[in-house]
Amino acid sequence: QVQLVESGGGLVQPGGSLRLSCAASGSILSINAMGWYRQAPGKQRELVAGIFSGGSTNYADSVKGRFTISRDNAKNTAYLQMNSLKPEDTAVYYCNAAILTVARVTVNIWGQGTQVTVSS
């Protein structure tokens, strides 16, 4: 069994910064891709940023230049550094990961979500 636990959300003023963390735990053999998604009220969940095992990354156009995704493979943890936050970044942020378990089964799992609110 594997799980993702997110942390780091909260309330921040426009122009501020937050850092989200996503820690994977359980019967992990390796982690392929990890990503951050977000869902605002009344909107569909969208990809914010992704990072692959080799370190390559991709970003939504709306966050390029402001957000940075990174990972610490030794800790099975991904991070999302969010700078220059805007009110439109307000959403529940979810971590997602594709994990190869010790049972040699690949699972795609989600974290529980963490609220990010950008408001003055």
Side-chain angles (χ1 to χ4, degrees):
Q1 186 175 359
V2 294
Q3 64 175 354
L4 299 177
V5 177
E6 300 134 335
S7 60
L11 172 64
V12 64
Q13 292 187 341
S17 298
L18 281 175
R19 188 193 195 206
L20 306 182
S21 298
C22 171
S25 63
S27 303
I28 298 170
L29 190 60
S30 64
I31 301 176
N32 185 8
M34 298 187 79
W36 288 96
Y37 291 72
R38 67 186 180 187
Q39 188 166 18
K43 295 187 176 181
Q44 289 188 332
R45 190 172 297 187
E46 63 176 358
L47 175 67
V48 176
I51 186 167
F52 296 90
S53 56
S56 60
T57 59
N58 62 303
Y59 295 91
D61 287 342
S62 59
V63 306
K64 283 180 181 177
R66 300 188 298 122
F67 292 10
T68 302
I69 188 169
S70 61
R71 61 190 285 178
D72 184 332
N73 292 328
K75 296 181 178 180
N76 289 331
T77 299
Y79 305 95
L80 185 68
Q81 178 66 44
M82 304 185 293
N83 299 328
S84 302
L85 282 160
K86 305 175 180 179
E88 51 263 42
D89 294 318
T90 296
V92 178
Y93 284 68
Y94 297 91
C95 181
N96 175 268
I99 296 175
L100 179 62
T101 69
V102 296
R104 302 284 177 170
V105 175
T106 298
V107 296
N108 188 287
I109 61 171
W110 293 88
Q112 79 282 3
T114 184
Q115 177 70 46
V116 171
T117 302
V118 185
S119 175
S120 55

